[in-house]
Amino acid sequence: MTGLAQQFLFASAPDSWGVLDYPGPSWEQSYEKMLDEMVEAGYTGTELGPYGYFPTDPDVLRAQLEKRKLKLLGSFVPVKVGDLNAEKEVIERIRKVGDLLSKLKAPFLVLADDQTPGRNAFSGRSNDPACPKLDAAQWKHVGKIVAAAEKVSQQFGLDLVFHPHVATYVETSEECEKFFDATSHTGIGLCLDTGHAVYAQADAVKEAEKYKSKLRLVHIKDCDQKVLTEARKNKWTFEEAIEQKVFTIIGQGNIDFQAFFRTLQKNNYSGWMVVEQDVKFDAVTIPPAESIAESLKYLRGVVSGLENSGAAAR
């Protein structure tokens, strides 16, 4: 690999196969087949997915990854960052996941607020006056819990990054600003998810520019604006919107990835991008193996176009 192809590294994740955060039918899929399909599509890394879906024995998982030459990047860990009574539970969960990640030499722990029914009822509509928000005491607690999470992450040699997420108390651009204000005494970075940003009425390109000094990991999703408009109009939950295919194969939605990658290139972003298409496990029309391959083909085309335009400019 040379140039931008070496600068932008692409990984996949189990959520593109509809693997949910808790055990159920989606967990009955063969993880070995999933890893094979990632490699066949051209990916060189994967996230862990929900703890327990992949083997939690580090020796077993290491062997599966190494024989496919896949790098484990980290794990998405949703916790109740604003719950004043959940600190022990939060730290225990981070410690459990962090221990496995460190044994497999993964670089990241991706922290997010946990979804709540109250916020899920206002997914993508946080401007509604009835939408619940964190109060001053809870935002202060966010700063405390992130500092504690960072300390644990550092013990395991992990880079702690935060993922603003739909249906949580840190969803919107404004809430993301409040989060980084509350955690300014820590070194936590940003994991920007392009699809979640658009769902939350933000601009993924502007968010990448705003947080260029904190951006350390990227989740790539594409969003169908027509479905998203229906989701807001009909007050769908996040899961209902996913079932209606609010997230598409990359390049088939409305996100301007040419502009997004130009911004990353300008700001010298270098590293991993996790390509995701959240789907409902039993409601897919295109097999995940095909959708992730098509997504990567599109993204490589975007990167190649940037490289060619740069060469022409020189």
Side-chain angles (χ1 to χ4, degrees), residues 22 30 99 125 132 142 149 151 162 173 181 224 241 248 256 261 287:
Y22 47 86
S30 164
D99 180 58
R125 299 183 298 107
V142 168
K151 184 176 180 181
F162 187 80
S173 180
D181 283 344
D224 186 325
T248 72
D256 185 347
F261 275 84

Side-chain angles (χ1 to χ4, degrees), residues 11-60:
S12 189
D15 55 0
S16 290
W17 282 258
V19 176
L20 299 173
D21 289 338
Y22 47 86
S26 67
W27 284 41
E28 295 171 10
Q29 300 174 84
S30 164
Y31 79 87
E32 295 100 330
K33 181 182 177 184
M34 181 184 295
L35 294 176
D36 286 340
E37 289 176 349
M38 290 181 189
V39 173
E40 288 164 8
Y43 292 91
T44 54
T46 180
E47 281 199 350
L48 183 68
Y51 185 90
Y53 173 66
F54 284 165
T56 55
D57 182 325
D59 293 332
V60 172

Side-chain angles (χ1 to χ4, degrees), residues 36-302:
D36 286 340
E37 289 176 349
M38 290 181 189
V39 173
E40 288 164 8
Y43 292 91
T44 54
T46 180
E47 281 199 350
L48 183 68
Y51 185 90
Y53 173 66
F54 284 165
T56 55
D57 182 325
D59 293 332
V60 172
L61 184 53
R62 183 183 299 108
Q64 293 289 343
L65 295 170
E66 286 181 350
K67 76 177 183 178
R68 295 173 175 86
K69 298 181 180 179
L70 279 172
K71 171 68 175 176
L72 183 67
L73 297 190
S75 180
F76 176 77
V77 185
V79 297
K80 300 172 183 176
V81 297
D83 188 337
L84 277 60
N85 299 311
E87 183 172 354
K88 182 179 179 182
E89 173 189 336
V90 168
I91 297 305
E92 285 178 353
R93 184 168 188 185
I94 291 171
R95 193 174 295 281
K96 179 175 72 172
V97 179
D99 180 58
L100 176 60
L101 294 177
S102 68
K103 287 174 179 173
L104 293 167
K105 294 182 168 54
F108 296 105
L109 193 146
V110 184
L111 193 70
D113 189 25
D114 208 354
Q115 287 186 213
T116 65
R119 282 299 296 241
N120 203 1
F122 292 91
S123 293
R125 299 183 298 107
S126 64
N127 55 350
D128 189 311
C131 181
K133 311 277 188 181
L134 295 183
D135 61 26
Q138 289 173 307
W139 277 116
K140 184 176 181 180
H141 180 73
V142 168
K144 178 183 177 184
I145 203 73
V146 168
E150 182 179 51
K151 184 176 180 181
V152 174
S153 298
Q154 288 173 343
Q155 291 170 358
F156 287 114
L158 297 166
D159 186 5
L160 186 67
V161 293
F162 187 80
H163 182 316
H165 197 285
V166 174
T168 76
Y169 285 103
V170 191
E171 172 180 332
T172 69
S173 180
E174 294 76 17
E175 287 165 343
C176 191
E177 289 179 8
K178 287 185 177 181
F179 174 86
F180 281 108
D181 283 344
T183 61
S184 59
H185 58 297
T186 75
I188 192 168
L190 174 66
C191 171
L192 176 60
D193 187 304
T194 57
H196 282 263
V198 170
Y199 202 118
Q201 304 186 52
D203 183 315
V205 177
K206 290 180 179 178
E207 293 299 289
E209 178 65 27
K210 183 195 300 183
Y211 293 105
K212 59 186 177 183
S213 65
K214 293 183 178 294
L215 186 60
R216 302 207 284 264
L217 183 63
V218 176
H219 281 190
I220 297 284
K221 287 190 185 70
D222 206 351
C223 196
D224 186 325
Q225 189 62 50
K226 184 177 179 180
V227 177
L228 182 54
T229 298
E230 286 296 304
R232 294 190 180 120
K233 176 184 175 182
N234 297 318
K235 302 181 179 180
W236 290 342
T237 65
F238 187 46
E239 291 73 22
E240 288 171 333
I242 288 173
E243 185 172 357
Q244 296 299 320
K245 301 176 176 57
V246 69
F247 296 124
T248 72
I249 292 172
I250 311 302
Q252 295 185 10
N254 298 97
I255 294 178
D256 185 347
F257 283 106
Q258 284 82 6
F260 184 75
F261 275 84
R262 280 197 301 271
T263 297
L264 296 182
Q265 181 187 28
K266 175 178 70 72
N267 293 332
N268 296 314
Y269 178 88
S270 180
W272 287 98
M273 301 182 177
V274 183
V275 181
E276 301 177 325
Q277 185 189 347
D278 286 2
V279 294
K280 185 178 180 184
F281 168 63
D282 56 358
V284 294
T285 53
I286 300 174
E290 293 181 22
S291 66
I292 65 162
E294 194 167 338
S295 291
L296 184 56
K297 181 180 178 180
Y298 170 81
L299 289 169
R300 283 178 169 167
V302 171

